Every structure is written in C-alpha cells, then in structure tokens.
Amino acid sequence: MNFDDKFTKEFEEKFEKNLEAIRSMPPGAHQQIKESLNVISEFVEKLKNKSEKTSADLELLANLQTKLKRLYETFSDMQLILGESLHRKSLAFYENVKKLAKEGDEEAEKIYNELKIHIEKFDSN
C-alpha cells in the first residue's frame, strides 16, 4: 500500500499489527475473559455491600478499579480496531460489486443497488 506520509504509514502498520494480535487470540479466550469478569464482578459486589470495609478492602477496590478501567480501555480499543477493519472490508466489497455492476453483471447490479442505499446513508452522516 502506498502512503503519502510517515504518520499514515506508521499508523497503518500499527493498525495491522494490532488487528493481527486480536485475530490471533485463541478460541475460547473471549469466553474465559467473560467468565473471569463475572467472577470479579460478583466479588466486587460482595465487597461493596460489606457494611464495614477495612482499609485493605478499600485499597483492593481502588486497585481493582484502576485495573478494570485499563481492561475496559483495551476492550474499547479492540472494538474500534475490529470495527474499522470491518468497515474497510465492507467498502472494498461494495466497490468490487459496483465495478462488476458497471461491467454488466446483473447479479452484481442487484447487490450494488441494495448496498448503495446503505452506503449513501452512512457516507452522508
């Protein structure tokens, strides 16, 4: 891919590296993370509802809050990267169907006309 500037080149390289890292997560990792978060959530609820919290309890809650905030940011970043990847692939598919439709492929034209409505709505926002 050609890049106009160093910033764009570095951004794209980092994007591809992060996308590959997300895609290489082993099967079942998402479920493990979800189950672990449920356990942590139950623990935090019990700790929050404790009538008399010790200084150790409060320190633990503060530590968990910091770590969970970082985890949330990581998941948000993953969601953005996957969303951008999906958007790029969708546009590439749309452009390919558009090209085929212009070349006279009737099936591609049907798909293009259906997708065009959604793409135009998205691009106008």
Side-chain angles (χ1 to χ4, degrees):
M1 184 179 266
N2 295 326
F3 301 101
D4 293 338
D5 57 66
K6 183 180 176 184
F7 173 81
T8 304
K9 181 179 188 285
E10 289 173 356
F11 177 85
E12 288 299 319
E13 287 171 351
K14 187 175 180 181
F15 175 81
E16 289 300 322
K17 181 181 173 188
N18 288 333
L19 183 60
E20 181 59 34
I22 292 167
R23 288 182 173 161
S24 67
M25 288 180 73
H30 294 98
Q31 187 61 33
Q32 270 185 323
I33 292 168
K34 187 176 179 180
E35 289 169 5
S36 296
L37 286 173
N38 284 335
V39 169
I40 292 168
S41 179
E42 290 172 14
F43 174 76
V44 168
E45 279 303 310
K46 287 178 186 174
L47 195 56
K48 269 181 24 182
N49 293 328
K50 218 171 143 180
S51 59
E52 293 186 31
K53 295 171 190 69
T54 66
S55 59
D57 291 340
L58 295 173
E59 185 178 333
L60 180 60
L61 279 171
N63 189 17
L64 279 172
Q65 181 180 16
T66 301
K67 289 182 180 184
L68 289 173
K69 186 176 181 181
R70 274 189 250 137
L71 186 61
Y72 173 78
E73 290 168 358
T74 299
F75 283 133
S76 294
D77 290 347
M78 288 171 68
Q79 185 177 16
L80 287 170
I81 290 167
L82 291 171
E84 176 63 17
S85 176
L86 180 61
H87 175 69
R88 289 177 182 194
K89 290 190 183 316
S90 298
L91 286 178
F93 177 78
Y94 171 75
E95 290 299 327
N96 189 46
V97 168
K98 180 178 172 181
K99 177 182 168 267
L100 292 172
K102 286 183 179 182
E103 292 172 355
D105 185 318
E106 292 179 14
E107 286 300 312
E109 187 172 357
K110 289 177 191 175
I111 296 168
Y112 169 70
N113 287 331
E114 192 174 315
L115 292 176
K116 181 179 168 184
I117 298 163
H118 302 290
I119 295 292
E120 287 174 351
K121 281 182 187 177
F122 182 78
D123 284 342
S124 67
N125 290 333

